[in-house]
Amino acid sequence: MLGVESIDVAYGHAMVLHDISLNVQSGEIVFIAGRNGAGKTTLLKSIAGFLKPKKGSIIFDNQTIVGLPPEKIALSGIRYVFQDKRVFTTLTVRENLELAAYPVKEKISDAIKRVVEIYPRIEKFLDAPAGGLSGGQRQILLIGRALIGKPKLLLIDEPTEGLAAGTINDILNVLNCMKGNVSMLIVEQNLSVVGMLSDRIYIMQEGKIIKEVADKEEMKNKEQLEKYL
Ligand SMILES: Nc1ncnc2c1ncn2[C@@H]1O[C@H](COP(=O)(O)OP(=O)(O)O)[C@@H](O)[C@H]1O
Ligand SMILES: [Mg+2]
């Protein structure tokens, strides 16, 4: 469904990604793990169209998307949940969802239904300012917002970063609930989360993919995975 082939990405003259190739199949949850500065966010931004690779190709649903602007890539069915968890704090949760529903012409009632399905507790916050949500609830709002318009692939950058253990469980439930309905490529440094949900893992180091892990036992073995980081 998504195929990244041999891309190189730079900020100005500073090369950050070197010859990256990966793929995501329909329905899969694929994780990217790696230390800070490995290039994980740069990779997601490149797939979403915010950075243009110097070379290589990116194919989504049999179409070349490399070089397309971010809004075209979004409309082709790829949504990107940024690392910074930014919501419109002074708008209500419902209004945050309305803003995302508008460009893809989805009915707001359907958009809200989709978010409530993955996280029923959001219902009582719908008319409260999004600025009052906890970090975990903001993350869930952002994931729910990304589901509007029924994308085929979500790119999610560090969904559990900075969250307490109980809240991480909420995120795990939400992701698990979405599994199978939408493919996901998730950057995650919490190896317990990775072990619980992953179909496959790519390990990044210094702008390269150094390892792909697909063995069920190995994916659940935190100590083993840590050795690659
Ligand atoms: N806007 C930018 N301009 C220049 N260098 C950047 C920029 N953003 C990130 N980098 C550099 O690119 C490398 C990879 O960063 P990033 O993709 O954010 O890593 P990760 O998400 O794995 O922590 C780092 O060395 C970082 O300093
Ligand atoms: Mg990052």
Side-chain angles (χ1 to χ4, degrees):
M1 150 179 262
L2 176 77
V4 174
E5 277 182 37
S6 303
I7 61 165
D8 283 356
V9 178
Y11 293 102
H13 292 296
M15 283 287 290
V16 172
L17 300 185
H18 310 273
D19 202 34
I20 298 273
S21 297
L22 62 77
N23 64 79
V24 179
Q25 304 304 318
S26 189
E28 266 191 323
I29 303 190
V30 177
F31 281 91
I32 301 170
R35 292 174 185 254
N36 281 332
K40 305 177 300 296
T41 296
T42 303
L43 175 55
L44 292 193
K45 281 187 182 163
S46 305
I47 297 169
F50 293 96
L51 295 167
K52 307 275 175 272
K54 300 276 178 222
K55 75 162 187 67
S57 74
I58 304 178
I59 312 281
F60 178 64
D61 255 0
N62 303 314
Q63 308 270 346
T64 298
I65 57 164
V66 80
L68 292 181
E71 63 276 14
K72 283 262 166 61
I73 293 179
L75 287 175
S76 81
I78 298 180
R79 289 303 140 71
Y80 178 26
V81 181
F82 289 83
Q83 191 167 358
D84 65 14
K85 301 181 176 58
R86 224 179 280 167
V87 297
F88 295 101
T89 52
T90 57
L91 300 182
T92 65
V93 168
R94 188 190 303 276
E95 287 163 345
N96 270 269
L97 294 169
E98 274 169 357
L99 279 177
Y102 178 71
V104 294
K105 302 184 178 62
E106 172 145 348
K107 277 203 309 206
I108 182 64
S109 53
D110 289 345
I112 288 172
K113 212 166 79 192
R114 195 152 308 124
V115 183
V116 170
E117 253 165 36
I118 60 165
Y119 188 67
R121 266 184 286 167
I122 199 103
E123 208 156 15
K124 62 174 189 282
F125 300 114
L126 281 174
D127 295 305
L133 297 179
S134 70
Q137 288 164 341
R138 277 186 198 208
Q139 182 63 60
I140 292 167
L141 169 59
L142 290 171
I143 293 172
R145 194 171 75 175
L147 288 176
I148 291 173
K150 296 208 187 85
K152 295 175 206 143
L153 173 67
L154 292 188
L155 310 172
I156 313 178
D157 203 344
E158 307 226 15
T160 69
E161 188 186 18
L163 301 180
T167 318
I168 291 178
N169 258 338
D170 289 344
I171 306 280
L172 269 170
N173 283 336
V174 164
L175 296 175
N176 212 10
C177 182
M178 288 154 48
K179 195 174 162 94
N181 294 325
V182 58
S183 308
M184 293 176 248
L185 180 61
I186 307 177
V187 168
E188 181 60 68
Q189 301 208 45
N190 181 326
L191 296 178
S192 310
V193 171
V194 171
M196 271 184 266
L197 290 173
S198 62
D199 290 311
R200 273 182 309 121
I201 307 169
Y202 291 101
I203 313 276
M204 282 187 79
Q205 221 178 63
E206 296 173 8
K208 299 193 182 86
I209 287 176
I210 57 149
K211 174 105 189 140
E212 177 183 345
V213 184
D215 180 79
K216 283 267 173 272
E217 292 308 310
E218 199 178 354
M219 286 191 287
K220 288 189 167 41
N221 187 337
K222 252 172 83 170
E223 288 73 31
Q224 176 67 33
L225 291 178
E226 249 154 30
K227 288 189 187 138
Y228 300 129
L229 299 182

